[in-house]
Amino acid sequence: MSITRRLLGKAALGLGAALLMQGTALAADRPAPFDKPGVKIALVRYLSTGDFFQAYLSGVEAQAKALGVDLRVLDSRQDAALQADMVDQAIALGVQGIIIQHGLTESMKDAAQRAVDAGIKVVAFDVNVENPKIPQIEQSDKDLAKLALEQAVKDNGESWKAGYVYVAGIAPLDRRNETWVDVKKKYSGISEVAQFGTLDNPIANSVANQARAVLQAHPDINVMFAPYDEFAKGVKIAVDEAGLNKKIKIYSADISTSDIAAMREPDSAWAATAATNPAVVGQVSVRALAQLLAGEDPGHNVIVPPTLITQKELIDKDIKNMEDLSAKLPQFAHADVAMPAWMPNPNAK
């Protein structure tokens, strides 16, 4: 039998129809409003600088695509008033759901309430909007700090001089600070001799400027607790410049490919970090919002469990990037959180 163009065309049409029917069937298996196209959601961001936030955004985008929703991204670039205005912009756009990513409680509390009053479902990642109707997506920040600090005690004993990088008023940093306070109470030999920190862009370079002065003023520091990877990058710049990389150890939170490279450098001061996969946290943020839209309850505190990642582990397992990390530490690759049976998994192969 000869295959004509007409026959090929019919076959292609048939395949397209089959795929369309398959997609329709998959959508039909999902609860409303995800059984039909046209769902719109918005991501309203406060922080966006750094690898963590790029990876978080990629996770939000991947889960939104898997769900077939229209995602709008509004980025305030650390302008608190603008972020609040952007919530109002999202309301005006007619979205059905909003993810608020970071921000300040005082500026976002009322804005989040306005969205709820407009009938919009809202979740908040790493910003406390003080609203019982809004689930809080968290990295279990206290556990992040606990894992990193337990490793610091394991490596350095129960008595050391510490430099501490902290900016108050940012929910995840405040939660990590609570653990730092508890650890200092538990181990009286740990002495915080300097506290500093800034979120001025570029964050790593701004922190490096501060760290240079701190290291000069406090030559007895032998541990730096920098519980955000951009902070840790800045501290590492200053430590390297001062030639103190063999004297000082850095402990942090969060992880990225560039962080991994920095930790793997010969004689790197960056000893350990505790992290969740930011892309997975982004996916969980969308999934929790989708559950709300579907009339389900993801819980008020949606917590993604963290993993301890040491310099030794990165070297011993030859982990060079985030892909290696997910492949060689499976617990890092996916979190079975906010994952009802109908929810598509963007990581499925």
Side-chain angles (χ1 to χ4, degrees), residues 132-153:
K133 294 183 179 180
I134 297 178
Q136 298 285 144
I137 316 299
E138 300 177 14
Q139 301 180 77
S140 186
D141 290 287
K142 291 184 179 181
D143 287 340
L144 281 170
K146 183 180 178 183
L147 287 173
L149 289 168
E150 283 177 345
Q151 187 64 35
V153 170

Side-chain angles (χ1 to χ4, degrees), residues 30-184:
R30 299 174 190 166
F34 300 103
D35 54 343
K36 297 177 182 178
V39 177
K40 290 196 294 186
I41 66 172
L43 171 63
V44 181
R45 313 177 82 195
Y46 179 72
L47 290 166
S48 57
T49 300
D51 296 333
F52 180 94
F53 300 105
Q54 290 305 310
Y56 176 85
L57 176 60
S58 73
V60 169
E61 291 172 335
Q63 189 67 64
K65 182 178 180 182
L67 274 167
V69 303
D70 179 3
L71 171 68
R72 309 294 176 91
V73 179
L74 305 174
D75 189 353
S76 72
R77 299 185 182 277
Q78 294 162 243
D79 184 326
L82 179 58
Q83 188 187 24
D85 288 342
M86 283 180 166
V87 171
D88 294 322
Q89 290 177 31
I91 296 170
L93 286 170
V95 302
Q96 288 137 289
I98 296 174
I99 301 166
I100 298 174
Q101 181 228 297
H102 292 87
L104 306 179
T105 299
E106 57 266 28
S107 57
M108 295 312 297
K109 181 179 177 180
D110 291 343
Q113 184 61 54
R114 289 196 295 273
V116 171
D117 291 342
I120 295 169
K121 301 299 182 183
V122 180
V123 300
F125 168 52
D126 271 356
V127 54
N128 183 9
V129 292
E130 299 178 350
N131 194 315
K133 294 183 179 180
I134 297 178
Q136 298 285 144
I137 316 299
E138 300 177 14
Q139 301 180 77
S140 186
D141 290 287
K142 291 184 179 181
D143 287 340
L144 281 170
K146 183 180 178 183
L147 287 173
L149 289 168
E150 283 177 345
Q151 187 64 35
V153 170
K154 181 179 177 181
D155 291 345
N156 303 279
E158 298 180 7
S159 180
W160 27 273
K161 304 289 187 182
Y164 175 44
V165 192
Y166 174 51
V167 175
I170 302 297
L173 298 180
D174 289 342
R175 288 192 289 263
R176 295 169 195 184
N177 181 65
E178 290 174 16
T179 300
W180 172 236
V181 170
D182 290 342
V183 167
K184 286 187 295 180

